[in-house]
Amino acid sequence: MMAVEPQAQYNTSYMMSEEHQYMSPEDEWDRDLLLDPAWEKQQRKTFTAWCNSHLRKAGTQIENIEDDFRNGLKLMLLLEVISGERLPKPDKGKMRFHKIANVNKALDFICSKGVKLVSIGAEEIVDGNTKMTLGMIWTIILRFAIQDISVEETSAKEGLLLWCQRKTAPYRNVNVQNFHISWKDGLALCALIHRHRPDLIDYSKLRKDDPIGNLNTAFEVAEKYLDIPKMLDAEDIVNTPKPDEKAIMTYVSCFYHAFAGAEQAETAANRICKVLAVNQENEKLMEEYEKLASELLEWIRKTIPWLENRMAEQQMKAMQQKLEDFRDYRRIHKPPRVQEKCQLEINFNTLQTKLRLSNRPAFMPSEGKMVSDIANAWKGLEQVEKGYEEWLLTEIRRLERLDHLAEKFKQKCSLHQSWTSGKEELLSMKDYESASLMEIRALMRKHEAFESDLAAHQDRVEQIAAIAQELNELDYHDASSVNARCQGICDQWDNLGTLTQKRRDSLERVEKLWETIDQLYLEFAKRAAPFNNWMDGAMEDLQDMFIVHSTEEIHSLITAHDQFKATLPEADKERMATMGIQSEIVKIAQTYGIKLSGVNPYTNLSPQDITNKWEAVKHLVPLRDQMRQFAAQANIIGPWIQTKMEEIGHVSVDIAGSLEEQMNNLKQYEQNIINYKCNIDKLEGDHQLSQESLIFDNKHTNYTMEHIRVGWEQLLTTIARTINEVENQILTRDAKGISQEQLNEFRASFNHFDRRNGMMDPDDFRACLISMGYDLGEVEFARIMTLVDSNNTGVVTFQAFIDFMTRETAETDTADQVMASFKILASDKAYITVDELRRELPAEQAEYCISRMTRYIGADGPAGALDYISFSSALYGESDL
């Protein structure tokens, strides 16, 4: 518990102004007005005790207040004691004019302190006028004991009353509204004592119906423990309907001065707590910055080697998995890191602003963890990322081309081998040796049809050879099997040509032996074979896979497909003509009763085969021209992002409204941007589908998906940075008491000379200061530049400009103020003990100080004493005093 000063030390340098007189007109003494006897008794006792409490310091006292001051000697002595000043030397004589002269010296001294004495003259005091003497003493009490009391912009009587109300507010049955009847029950006095010294009175045992007991308790405790003499009688206060206000005020003022020391210590402790809380919060922000920066840099360090790996896969599936992993990185892993990077910059700026506002040195992160270091690392990551994506797409195109060629090679080989299956055995047969004339002719025509079919397949064999050569040139991983299969097909094709020629020679030798031939079968075979070959080619083309990389190739395929569909009516006519031949055969057979064998001797194709293939061709016509709307959406989103960037820039420099209105506008822009995210996601989906369709170029728009992604990330970063800048401006304005008009004036001056979008060159900054009335020399301007550009970046930001303009008027805590506060807690010692810290400060702040203060090395300190002077300097980055 803090010790209570027994007596007040009164301010002796106070000069009363005319509009702040300590005594109001109703307090003036009327020499002709009789004083209430009860009040006179109370005043006499109270004023006598008050005077004696000071005169005893000079080794004397008074017994009768109206008699003992008549010669003026003790009156002058009283004034010297309470003022601490020397009065003129008193006259030694005992004549009446000597006494009047001494009293006048005392009264002149009172007047010199700005006190207006009304109706009080030296003659009345010398004559022992009780009323005038009491009035004079009351004037002295007001001037030296009550006038200097100040509580929450109120002073004197009102200040003392407000102090009593604040201290007794928590106590039951206490309601201080004045200095008379509010004190009759004694509870208010007991509450004042208990509030500051709860060890002296058990307030819970006091009763409102025992006013005399309560008053006597307060009087006795105050006299015994607080060195406040008993100035009142409990019976006089209780038995008087309205106790004398001046007597009560005089007595209560003694309590105010007795507890003033405790109030001062409490204020000092609060100041230290505030400073320590700010320091703890700043240290926490520094630790969070270091942790977040370390995690982000570690993630970048681990990610770059993955993106630098350019080892290609041989299988398309493996490369597609790499692409999918990269997309997951873009969609899932990278966005949170973008937010962390933005939040890191915001935290750094906020921390620096708080350090400036609290008069602390700027925060310097660990080596390699500056914001610029993180920005450089991030830039390197994005460069590697861009190269990785380009490499992936190039490799996928190559593998896609290889897979397409390999599949096409397999299809053509399968079709060719299916067609050649059994052809060598058929050409080697000697069935014509035992055939009839009709069968010979049928074999001849059938061979002619086969030769037509053989010629038609020549193009496919050449395509197979060309595809195999391209696969070898593109370094296909299974080129050996491709070459082996291609060589087998070529060898077989040469053998088929040889066998075909041999069979033709044999059939021609016996052709002259045969005369009859079924012309209609021959005609059917000749027309059916090419038409069937055309349908095979159409079905092959319709089932073929196409690789396109641009919208122009898509339009080309659509045109070719439309041209193909335009040939279908003519092909249908050819089919009807071919089927008409078969109908004619059936008609002739029915007409002449010919029994058909059911098999065309010249071809294996039946009318049903032609019909089935024709139906298959009609059902294989797909819709192959699906175009995406990527270009249309990109042409809308790209300008929208640019427009929002410009609007945010306009809001950040607008001075038409308050900072809060700018903040509201920026928050609304931020919400609109967040709501627009669905359009970006839809565009990402369209872009992915285009890549899956292997469409990589689009000449219908100047925007790529990378442009949109970079613009979107810049938009999110810009709105977050702008909101943080306005928040810091609000923090600066509130902490330094800048009005909105001043802030607008600073913004207008800054904008006028700002040619770099939020930053000024040194020359522009010098011109701005000159326009605002600064007389700058080279040395002074160099000093100012060290304040606004401590990192030598060569530019001055608006936040640094605001800090400079308000620096001289800032009202912040300093190392000297904190040091003075510690000195109060240490009772003016050069050191402080652990017990004193734990007694005066909250537990958390006390332990914080104990853990960081160094040991006091002076010879006058006890063991374990701590050095609060070096600790106070270290809080503000200053060297030890």
Side-chain angles (χ1 to χ4, degrees):
M1 183 59 64
M2 295 178 292
V4 178
E5 291 291 337
Q7 293 297 326
Q9 298 298 320
Y10 300 109
N11 183 6
T12 63
S13 61
Y14 179 84
M15 296 301 295
M16 183 71 71
S17 63
E18 293 182 359
E19 62 271 24
H20 292 88
Q21 292 293 336
Y22 69 92
M23 182 184 291
S24 58
E26 62 269 23
D27 292 324
E28 297 178 359
W29 290 77
D30 189 338
R31 67 170 56 243
D32 299 324
L33 184 64
L34 294 178
L35 187 63
D36 183 272
W39 289 4
E40 179 180 341
K41 178 182 178 182
Q42 293 176 15
Q43 287 184 17
R44 186 191 300 272
K45 180 177 180 63
T46 301
F47 292 175
T48 299
W50 184 86
C51 292
N52 286 332
S53 68
H54 295 285
L55 287 173
R56 67 182 179 183
K57 299 176 184 177
T60 186
Q61 64 178 9
I62 61 173
E63 298 294 338
N64 191 314
I65 194 167
E66 65 268 24
D67 292 334
D68 293 346
F69 286 140
R70 292 178 64 180
N71 61 5
L73 296 178
K74 289 189 177 180
L75 179 60
M76 294 178 67
L77 181 61
L78 173 65
L79 291 173
E80 287 183 347
V81 171
I82 62 177
S83 68
E85 300 180 21
R86 296 291 297 178
L87 270 68
K89 187 176 181 180
D91 291 355
K92 296 296 185 178
K94 297 183 180 181
M95 303 297 292
R96 176 180 175 82
F97 72 88
H98 292 129
K99 297 179 180 179
I100 292 176
N102 290 336
V103 173
N104 276 327
K105 290 177 182 180
L107 295 179
D108 290 341
F109 178 79
I110 295 173
C111 292
S112 70
K113 297 302 179 181
V115 178
K116 180 181 178 183
L117 295 174
V118 180
S119 302
I120 299 177
E123 292 78 3
E124 285 85 350
I125 304 302
V126 173
D127 291 339
N129 187 314
T130 301
K131 178 182 177 183
M132 292 300 107
T133 302
L134 292 176
M136 178 190 64
I137 298 301
W138 172 243
T139 300
I140 294 172
I141 293 172
L142 278 176
R143 171 59 184 86
F144 294 99
I146 299 177
Q147 175 180 307
D148 293 335
I149 296 175
S150 178
V151 178
E152 298 184 10
E153 300 182 358
T154 63
S155 60
K157 175 181 177 181
E158 291 76 13
L160 181 60
L161 181 63
L162 181 59
W163 179 79
C164 294
Q165 291 172 340
R166 293 287 186 269
K167 295 301 180 179
T168 60
Y171 291 87
R172 58 182 176 81
N173 297 327
V174 178
N175 183 17
V176 178
Q177 298 297 327
N178 48 58
F179 285 107
H180 37 80
I181 61 175
S182 295
W183 304 84
K184 288 188 64 174
D185 57 8
L187 291 178
L189 287 172
C190 292
L192 281 179
I193 297 173
H194 184 268
R195 179 64 181 268
H196 296 88
R197 292 290 303 273
D199 57 313
L200 300 180
I201 292 179
D202 187 354
Y203 189 82
S204 62
K205 295 182 178 181
L206 301 178
R207 294 184 295 109
K208 187 175 180 63
D209 58 358
D210 185 18
I212 293 179
N214 297 337
L215 288 168
N216 286 328
T217 298
F219 296 157
E220 293 170 2
V221 169
E223 186 174 23
K224 181 177 180 180
Y225 297 101
L226 304 179
D227 200 20
I228 298 174
K230 183 178 179 181
M231 300 181 183
L232 300 168
D233 286 328
E235 291 78 5
D236 293 341
I237 295 176
V238 174
N239 296 330
T240 303
K242 181 181 179 182
D244 181 63
E245 184 179 53
K246 297 177 179 59
I248 298 295
M249 285 180 62
T250 301
Y251 188 62
V252 172
S253 68
C254 295
F255 285 91
Y256 174 84
H257 293 294
F259 296 131
E263 295 288 339
Q264 187 180 17
E266 182 180 352
T267 301
N270 290 336
R271 178 185 292 275
I272 292 174
C273 290
K274 176 183 175 183
V275 171
L276 295 180
V278 170
N279 209 62
Q280 288 175 303
E281 181 181 358
N282 290 340
E283 288 184 358
K284 182 179 180 182
L285 289 175
M286 294 176 189
E287 293 173 358
E288 291 177 353
Y289 175 87
E290 292 283 345
K291 180 176 180 295
L292 191 59
S294 299
E295 292 176 353
L296 184 58
L297 289 172
E298 178 65 17
W299 178 80
I300 294 175
R301 185 187 67 79
K302 292 182 179 179
T303 304
I304 287 179
W306 173 65
L307 294 174
E308 289 177 340
N309 182 13
R310 299 293 193 273
M311 183 176 293
E313 302 289 344
Q314 293 185 346
Q315 299 296 327
M316 184 65 178
K317 184 176 181 180
M319 287 304 297
Q320 286 176 338
Q321 183 60 46
K322 280 182 175 287
L323 180 59
E324 186 63 29
D325 293 341
F326 182 71
R327 288 171 178 166
D328 289 341
Y329 158 78
R330 274 277 183 79
R331 293 192 305 262
I332 301 173
H333 303 296
K334 184 180 178 183
R337 300 299 178 176
V338 173
Q339 293 296 325
E340 288 181 6
K341 176 176 174 290
C342 178
Q343 188 62 43
L344 192 68
E345 296 174 356
I346 291 174
N347 290 350
F348 182 81
N349 293 335
T350 301
L351 175 59
Q352 298 294 46
T353 299
K354 288 185 175 181
L355 288 173
R356 286 196 300 273
L357 294 177
S358 60
N359 202 22
R360 298 317 197 267
F363 169 58
M364 290 297 294
S366 303
E367 183 178 358
K369 296 180 183 179
M370 294 289 293
V371 173
S372 58
D373 298 329
I374 295 173
N376 292 334
W378 189 267
K379 183 178 179 181
L381 173 70
E382 291 187 334
Q383 290 176 346
V384 175
E385 175 185 316
K386 183 178 180 181
Y388 185 74
E389 183 179 24
E390 293 174 353
W391 173 77
L392 275 178
L393 295 177
T394 300
E395 284 299 313
I396 287 177
R397 292 192 189 103
R398 185 182 72 84
L399 290 179
E400 182 65 27
R401 176 65 178 169
L402 285 174
D403 288 350
H404 171 70
L405 289 174
E407 185 62 27
K408 190 173 183 178
F409 177 81
K410 292 177 182 178
Q411 289 182 354
K412 288 186 176 293
C413 288
S414 297
L415 287 173
H416 177 77
Q417 289 174 338
S418 175
W419 178 82
T420 58
S421 178
K423 294 295 189 292
E424 291 177 298
E425 290 79 4
L426 180 64
L427 292 173
S428 301
M429 289 177 61
K430 299 186 181 295
D431 50 346
Y432 54 85
E433 293 180 353
S434 59
S436 63
L437 180 60
M438 296 297 293
E439 292 173 341
I440 291 297
R441 290 184 174 179
L443 289 174
M444 188 62 187
R445 301 299 181 266
K446 183 177 181 181
H447 189 69
E448 291 176 354
F450 172 75
E451 287 179 329
S452 298
D453 200 8
L454 184 67
H457 280 78
Q458 177 66 35
D459 183 60
R460 179 176 290 131
V461 174
E462 293 175 355
Q463 291 177 2
I464 290 173
I467 292 173
Q469 182 179 356
E470 186 173 359
L471 286 173
N472 279 274
E473 292 174 352
L474 293 176
D475 195 20
Y476 182 58
H477 68 279
D478 197 17
S480 58
S481 62
V482 169
N483 293 334
R485 190 171 186 181
C486 181
Q487 187 62 45
I489 289 174
C490 291
D491 293 343
Q492 185 188 39
W493 185 255
D494 292 340
N495 188 40
L496 282 176
T498 301
L499 292 175
T500 299
Q501 186 60 40
K502 286 182 178 180
R503 185 172 178 81
R504 167 170 278 282
D505 294 342
S506 298
L507 290 175
E508 285 179 347
R509 286 195 304 270
V510 297
E511 183 180 10
K512 59 184 178 179
L513 301 174
W514 307 100
E515 300 177 349
T516 307
I517 189 169
D518 190 344
Q519 189 63 34
L520 292 176
Y521 272 131
L522 180 59
E523 185 178 357
F524 177 88
K526 287 183 177 181
R527 299 190 70 166
F531 184 68
N532 179 68
N533 188 57
W534 176 86
M535 288 192 295
D536 286 339
M539 292 175 65
E540 179 183 350
D541 291 338
L542 290 173
Q543 293 176 339
D544 193 10
M545 296 176 59
F546 290 95
I547 303 299
V548 291
H549 301 108
S550 67
T551 54
E552 285 74 14
E553 292 179 358
I554 292 177
H555 288 302
S556 177
L557 289 176
I558 293 175
T559 302
H561 188 60
D562 291 340
Q563 292 175 353
F564 167 76
K565 290 190 288 185
T567 63
L568 291 179
E570 189 66 27
D572 190 50
K573 292 180 180 179
E574 177 65 19
R575 181 187 66 83
M576 294 298 293
T578 303
M579 297 303 294
I581 295 174
Q582 180 63 27
S583 299
E584 186 65 20
I585 293 174
V586 173
K587 182 179 179 181
I588 294 174
Q590 292 176 348
T591 301
Y592 298 98
I594 297 175
K595 185 177 181 181
L596 299 175
S597 62
V599 179
N600 191 322
Y602 304 106
T603 181
N604 292 326
L605 294 172
S606 67
Q608 188 62 41
D609 293 334
I610 299 298
T611 300
N612 291 340
K613 283 191 177 182
W614 177 253
E615 293 298 325
V617 168
K618 289 195 299 182
H619 284 88
L620 283 175
V621 179
L623 296 176
R624 305 169 67 91
D625 51 347
Q626 298 179 353
M627 298 297 294
R628 303 294 177 185
Q629 297 300 318
F630 176 86
Q633 294 186 57
N635 287 332
I636 295 174
I637 293 176
W640 182 90
I641 291 176
Q642 184 62 32
T643 299
K644 292 301 176 186
M645 291 282 285
E646 295 174 356
E647 291 175 355
I648 292 171
H650 292 158
V651 171
S652 66
V653 300
D654 187 14
I655 64 174
S658 64
L659 291 177
E660 285 72 12
E661 291 173 346
Q662 292 184 32
M663 178 62 70
N664 292 334
N665 291 338
L666 290 172
K667 289 292 186 180
Q668 185 175 358
Y669 275 110
E670 184 182 41
Q671 187 59 46
N672 292 339
I673 291 170
I674 293 173
N675 295 337
Y676 200 79
K677 182 65 166 59
C678 60
N679 296 309
I680 303 297
D681 295 338
K682 184 177 185 301
L683 191 64
E684 282 280 9
D686 292 342
H687 176 67
Q688 182 174 346
L689 291 176
S690 298
Q691 287 195 331
E692 291 174 353
S693 301
L694 300 178
I695 301 176
F696 304 104
D697 301 318
N698 195 332
K699 296 182 179 180
H700 298 285
T701 178
N702 292 326
Y703 296 98
T704 65
M705 195 63 230
E706 183 62 25
H707 292 153
I708 299 299
R709 292 190 192 106
V710 172
W712 179 252
E713 292 174 0
Q714 290 178 347
L715 181 60
L716 292 177
T717 301
T718 298
I719 187 64
R721 287 176 177 170
T722 305
I723 289 175
N724 179 250
E725 179 182 353
V726 176
E727 289 175 341
N728 286 338
Q729 292 179 22
I730 293 174
L731 189 61
T732 301
R733 180 198 65 190
D734 295 340
K736 300 190 175 183
I738 307 174
S739 66
Q740 186 64 44
E741 289 75 17
Q742 288 177 306
L743 200 60
N744 290 343
E745 181 182 355
F746 294 157
R747 170 59 79 181
S749 300
F750 186 91
N751 291 344
H752 180 75
F753 291 91
D754 175 18
R755 295 183 297 179
R756 297 184 60 179
N757 191 20
M759 296 179 289
M760 285 194 295
D761 292 328
D763 291 341
D764 294 333
F765 179 57
R766 178 194 288 270
C768 179
L769 292 180
I770 293 174
S771 71
M772 298 179 72
Y774 280 81
D775 186 11
L776 298 175
E778 291 298 327
V779 176
E780 176 63 13
F781 182 72
R783 183 191 68 81
I784 293 175
M785 283 301 297
T786 61
L787 296 177
V788 299
D789 185 20
S790 58
N791 294 327
N792 294 325
T793 60
V795 295
V796 179
T797 64
F798 179 69
Q799 185 63 42
F801 178 76
I802 289 295
D803 288 343
F804 169 72
M805 296 305 296
T806 59
R807 186 179 301 274
E808 298 301 328
T809 59
E811 188 173 343
T812 58
D813 292 318
T814 65
D816 290 338
Q817 291 174 326
V818 176
M819 198 180 304
S821 299
F822 273 116
K823 187 175 183 181
I824 292 173
L825 298 188
S827 300
D828 292 334
K829 299 189 298 293
Y831 59 88
I832 192 168
T833 65
V834 173
D835 292 338
E836 287 173 336
L837 286 173
R838 287 175 174 165
R839 183 178 68 243
E840 302 296 345
L841 298 180
E844 182 180 357
Q845 278 73 22
E847 297 304 321
Y848 178 85
C849 293
I850 294 170
S851 65
R852 284 165 171 77
M853 282 188 182
T854 59
R855 296 297 180 183
Y856 180 72
I857 60 177
D860 58 332
L866 301 176
D867 185 0
Y868 65 80
I869 297 177
S870 60
F871 175 75
S872 301
S873 300
L875 285 177
Y876 292 87
E878 301 176 1
S879 60
D880 292 342
L881 297 177

